[in-house]
Amino acid sequence: MATRCLRYGSLAFLVAQDTALVLLMRYSRSHATGEMYLASTAVCCMEVLKLCVCVGMLYAGEARGSISGLVNVFRREFLEKPSEVLRLAVPSFLYLLQNNLLYFALSNLRATPYKVTYNLKILTSALFSVTMLGQKLSKRKWLSLIALFVGVTVVQSDNHKSDSDAPHPETGLGYQTLGFLAVVAAAFTSGFCGVYQQKILQAGKTNMWVRNAQMGLTSVCLGVVSTIVKDRQAIQERGFFQGYTRLVWTVIIIQAVG
């Protein structure tokens, strides 16, 4: 009974967290009262917070509340295993790309079509599980995935019919079309990264929080580099935290904790 309550409680928390994140992120990108914040810096801050959470869990778990123990974990799992850390740079980069795509998508799509379309990550996760892990899906699961794909297609079709889609000056494509393509790309990266990470965890005996910390470290490094490359001029002119409000920090914290 306790296990079932914990399972459903965790599921309810994840649903609430995911829904709140989408709504708040969309609001922060579409109802800014002042200067708009940079999505790249928000993603970078989120990755830093995620790394801090992972380090905190390692401190409480693997290191058993000891600073020296945490240093030993860092030396053993990071410095002595550079190949494993570099191998995790692939999903780290894709997760970083995914988060930037989601910010871009919610800058151009309403929350409902975004959320429905992003559910394609269930389909992509299943496809990558079959191709990369050799899992087999029942006919009922395949039919469910096909129904999901059809549902996303219908919702996106109705969205294009009901809303005007102004063309982007550089690409010529509509802003909503670009948002839709960004969500689809994010769904593919999410599916691949989830399965890739599962494959790595199954291949070894390393603690999950160690893996997350390894990914977090590479994500922070890549995030700093991508932020400088993409928005260096804007940061030099108006600062790293330009446009930040309590709402923006709330979005970053919810995304990092989730």
Side-chain angles (χ1 to χ4, degrees), residues 126-201:
L127 294 175
F128 284 120
S129 294
V130 171
T131 56
M132 296 174 62
L133 300 179
Q135 294 184 358
K136 295 183 179 180
L137 302 180
S138 63
K139 292 182 179 180
R140 179 180 296 180
K141 290 182 179 180
W142 280 117
L143 289 174
S144 300
L145 293 172
I146 293 173
L148 171 64
F149 177 78
V150 172
V152 170
T153 304
V154 171
V155 169
Q156 187 58 28
S157 176
D158 290 341
N159 185 54
H160 273 291
K161 291 179 181 178
S162 60
D163 297 337
S164 58
D165 195 6
H168 190 277
E170 295 182 3
T171 64
L173 296 175
Y175 282 96
Q176 292 186 35
T177 301
L178 291 173
F180 171 74
L181 294 176
V183 178
V184 173
F188 271 91
T189 58
S190 176
F192 174 81
C193 290
V195 174
Y196 185 87
Q197 191 173 7
Q198 181 181 353
K199 186 175 182 179
I200 292 177
L201 286 173

Side-chain angles (χ1 to χ4, degrees), residues 84-106:
E84 291 191 11
V85 176
L86 289 176
R87 185 171 58 172
L88 290 170
V90 175
S92 297
F93 171 76
L94 291 177
Y95 273 130
L96 191 71
L97 175 63
Q98 170 192 326
N99 287 318
N100 278 281
L101 287 171
L102 295 183
Y103 272 98
F104 176 81
L106 280 170

Side-chain angles (χ1 to χ4, degrees), residues 9-26 98-99 102 106 111-112 114-122 190 250-251 253-258:
S10 301
L11 178 61
F13 172 79
L14 289 174
V15 171
Q17 178 268 339
D18 190 51
T19 303
L21 176 62
V22 171
L23 294 175
L24 292 175
M25 189 184 292
R26 169 60 182 172
Q98 170 192 326
N99 287 318
L102 295 183
L106 280 170
T112 302
Y114 161 87
K115 186 58 184 169
V116 173
T117 306
Y118 193 45
N119 283 332
L120 282 175
K121 65 183 180 179
I122 301 174
S190 176
T250 301
V251 171
I253 292 171
I254 292 176
Q255 191 175 19
V257 174

